[in-house]
Amino acid sequence: MTSHRSNPKLPNLNGWNQPKPRHSLGYRTRHQARSVVVSVVAAALVFVGSAAAMTWYDINHVIDDNTISIIPQKSGSTQNTVVDPNAGQTINILLLGQDTRSGEENKALGGPGEAENHQSDTAMVLQISADRSYINLVSIPRDSIVNAPSCQTSKGTIAARYDVMFNSIFANAYAKGGDLASAGSCTMAAVNSLTGLDIENFVVVDFAGMRDMVDALGGVDLCIPVATKDATTGINLQPGMQHLDGTTATEYARMRHGTGTDGSDIMRTTRQQYLVKEIIKEALSKNLFTQSSQLYQLAKTALKSLSISSGLAHASTLVGLAMSLKDLDPTHLYMQTIPVTSWSKDINRVVWASNADDVWEKLRKEVPLTQADDTTSETSSDSSASPSSSDTPSASDSASASATPTETVDPKTGLITRADGTLIDPNTGGIVNKKNGTITDPTTGQYLGIADRYLNATVCAVNAQE
């Protein structure tokens, strides 16, 4: 087996590739007692080192089994570059939730459907800031009508298509190429074409994978705003803060029918955002020193649940990235759905609204989604211009800057309260539903996201972290 330490393409995590120190003859000793001590210490280090090596090999083996090679596209935007988490650069990743009934576990969670009908049920662009002080996460509704560029699959080219549902890009590429490499590569190429971003890596997770990750964390706390019951998924939840296991959390995030939902895919997207954010917050809360065993099991379970493109699929890359995010403030996780409006040809479909590019511009400029529009043009896309942790705007900072003299800002939720009692999300300008925390566009009425801090601190009466 080739050691990762000898691979010049991998990041130099913790100085592994540095030459070993050399000592003079004066460093040697003939004292028997000291030799015994050195021998005991050396034996202990060998034992610990062997355990660490086995753990490292175990993790690498799991990663190797779930690595996807990216298929190069004619545009040249899809590369197989290994991510260096310590290079001080912004990292963009496309997260894809695969709606498949392939396998007994996915069939049990997904319900009725064709086993080989691979769809992209969820698509999110994840942007990790260069200084690791914040994360942007933007959802793309699966029912969006878009233009898909031509793309290369494992078994040939798919021609460009116009006015197609976004999730059909993943499905058609899988049908043509017969693998996740085709589906993920074509979807990533389409997102780059539609947004002007240069995303180079993607991660795919299915129903069973999401369930296993939540269970590995020991469950996740979610605020259920109203009594929620759905015969299709079997969901039956009472209002309040609930500790959900992996199966229940996954079914809650994917349900579209019953109570607590209007049946739309875009409202379901808000629940998916909420679940992802709470999973990240729960993972960040784990102590690396006192819960190392649980973290190892979590990492192994998560990696088994994910299909990862080759640029990310290295233990050194993933460990380095996780370590660089260990001090991230959970309130600096910024999430929203790309603005959409109803499609004129089909009321059940949506198209990206005229202000959708304002969101992508923030990601292109590498600034937080909370950044005011009038300052994005002043911020360089150079990584050196990324805001430091102390400068990264929180929801409260953004609200204070946006509020008028007649408006008040709640420091717990970061929301603006107008004189008439209307709640406004300062990041999107959307109206917050006081009953369930959803945020809607004041013009189109479409969902933009969910006010998670308001949901936790007010609807479920839990003190949110400032």
Side-chain angles (χ1 to χ4, degrees):
M1 180 182 72
T2 302
S3 170
H4 283 298
R5 297 188 186 185
S6 63
N7 189 340
K9 293 183 179 180
L10 294 179
N12 183 22
L13 182 65
N14 294 334
W16 284 353
N17 293 332
Q18 297 299 326
K20 300 296 184 292
R22 296 181 179 179
H23 300 290
S24 66
L25 293 176
Y27 184 75
R28 300 175 183 173
T29 178
R30 295 182 181 179
H31 297 290
Q32 184 176 6
R34 187 176 300 179
S35 297
V36 171
V37 172
V38 171
S39 298
V40 171
V41 172
L45 290 176
V46 168
F47 176 79
V48 174
S50 297
M54 288 302 296
T55 299
W56 196 261
Y57 174 79
D58 193 22
I59 291 293
N60 269 323
H61 182 69
V62 173
I63 293 173
D64 288 343
D65 288 344
N66 293 279
T67 299
I68 304 174
S69 296
I70 300 175
I71 300 174
Q73 303 297 309
K74 291 182 178 179
S75 63
S77 61
T78 307
Q79 306 296 327
N80 282 283
T81 305
V82 176
V83 172
D84 184 348
N86 301 314
Q89 296 178 347
T90 298
I91 297 174
N92 294 317
I93 303 170
L94 180 62
L95 304 181
L96 297 169
Q98 185 185 13
D99 182 357
T100 179
R101 275 69 174 176
S102 179
E104 292 303 318
E105 293 180 325
N106 282 315
K107 189 179 297 182
L109 285 166
E114 297 180 19
E116 296 306 318
N117 185 22
H118 295 265
Q119 302 277 352
S120 175
D121 189 54
T122 304
M124 300 180 180
V125 175
L126 172 72
Q127 182 175 80
I128 303 173
S129 69
D131 65 356
R132 308 298 185 256
S133 66
Y134 68 89
I135 291 176
N136 289 328
L137 196 63
V138 180
S139 295
I140 301 175
R142 71 169 198 172
D143 292 342
S144 301
I145 300 300
V146 299
N147 296 331
S150 65
C151 71
Q152 310 301 311
T153 73
S154 297
K155 298 179 181 178
T157 303
I158 295 178
R161 298 180 300 139
Y162 302 91
D163 290 344
V164 297
M165 281 179 54
F166 177 79
N167 71 334
S168 72
I169 300 171
F170 186 99
N172 283 5
Y174 196 103
K176 175 73 173 179
D179 52 30
L180 285 177
S182 300
S185 297
C186 284
T187 306
M188 186 166 67
V191 172
N192 284 336
S193 174
L194 292 165
T195 66
L197 294 169
D198 187 21
I199 306 170
E200 295 185 341
N201 285 283
F202 60 84
V203 174
V204 181
V205 61
D206 56 21
F207 295 142
M210 180 63 73
R211 178 204 62 193
D212 292 345
M213 282 191 289
V214 173
D215 283 340
L217 280 168
V220 64
D221 292 328
L222 294 181
C223 174
I224 309 301
V226 297
T228 303
K229 189 173 183 178
D230 173 33
T232 302
T233 61
I235 283 286
N236 187 2
L237 298 172
Q238 295 303 308
M241 186 63 71
Q242 303 284 353
H243 187 75
L244 306 184
D245 62 16
T247 297
T248 308
T250 300
E251 290 177 338
Y252 178 70
R254 61 173 295 270
M255 63 174 283
R256 292 182 66 173
H257 308 288
T259 63
T261 180
D262 63 3
S264 71
D265 174 67
I266 300 182
M267 185 178 188
R268 176 170 64 173
T269 297
T270 68
R271 293 196 303 276
Q272 293 171 348
Q273 291 175 0
Y274 181 39
L275 174 60
V276 168
K277 190 167 186 177
E278 295 306 305
I279 288 174
I280 294 175
K281 286 168 61 177
E282 183 66 25
L284 289 172
S285 72
K286 302 298 181 184
N287 189 301
L288 288 171
F289 299 100
T290 63
Q291 297 174 284
S292 56
S293 177
Q294 183 182 2
L295 283 172
Y296 164 67
Q297 291 301 326
L298 170 61
K300 187 175 178 181
T301 299
L303 291 171
K304 283 183 176 179
S305 306
L306 304 175
S307 297
I308 309 173
S309 63
S310 53
L312 288 170
H314 302 277
S316 53
T317 296
L318 296 174
V319 170
L321 184 57
M323 289 299 294
S324 72
L325 290 168
K326 64 183 177 64
D327 296 323
L328 178 71
D329 184 343
T331 63
H332 292 170
L333 291 169
Y334 307 124
M335 309 177 74
Q336 78 165 86
T337 301
I338 198 69
V340 296
T341 187
S342 296
W343 190 34
S344 60
K345 297 180 180 180
D346 186 343
I347 195 173
N348 295 316
R349 304 288 179 257
V350 296
V351 293
W352 294 4
S354 58
N355 61 333
D357 195 59
D358 294 341
V359 176
W360 299 126
E361 177 68 4
K362 290 179 181 180
L363 269 62
R364 292 193 295 265
K365 293 288 187 181
E366 299 177 4
V367 297
L369 289 172
T370 56
Q371 182 76 60
D373 290 338
D374 59 356
T375 61
T376 57
S377 60
E378 301 172 6
T379 305
S380 168
S381 61
D382 189 287
S383 60
S384 62
S386 297
S388 65
S389 180
S390 60
D391 294 333
T392 302
S394 66
S396 298
D397 295 334
S398 180
S400 298
S402 304
T404 68
T406 61
E407 299 172 336
T408 59
V409 178
D410 186 341
K412 288 185 177 180
T413 66
L415 300 181
I416 297 171
T417 302
R418 288 179 174 170
D420 63 1
T422 302
L423 295 180
I424 301 297
D425 172 52
N427 300 335
T428 62
I431 299 172
V432 179
N433 184 308
K434 292 183 179 181
K435 188 175 183 180
N436 61 25
T438 55
I439 306 168
T440 53
D441 189 300
T443 302
T444 65
Q446 297 284 355
Y447 294 103
L448 293 171
I450 196 162
D452 61 289
R453 292 176 67 193
Y454 169 80
L455 199 60
N456 293 345
T458 303
V459 176
C460 282
V462 175
N463 291 326
Q465 179 180 357
E466 285 296 316

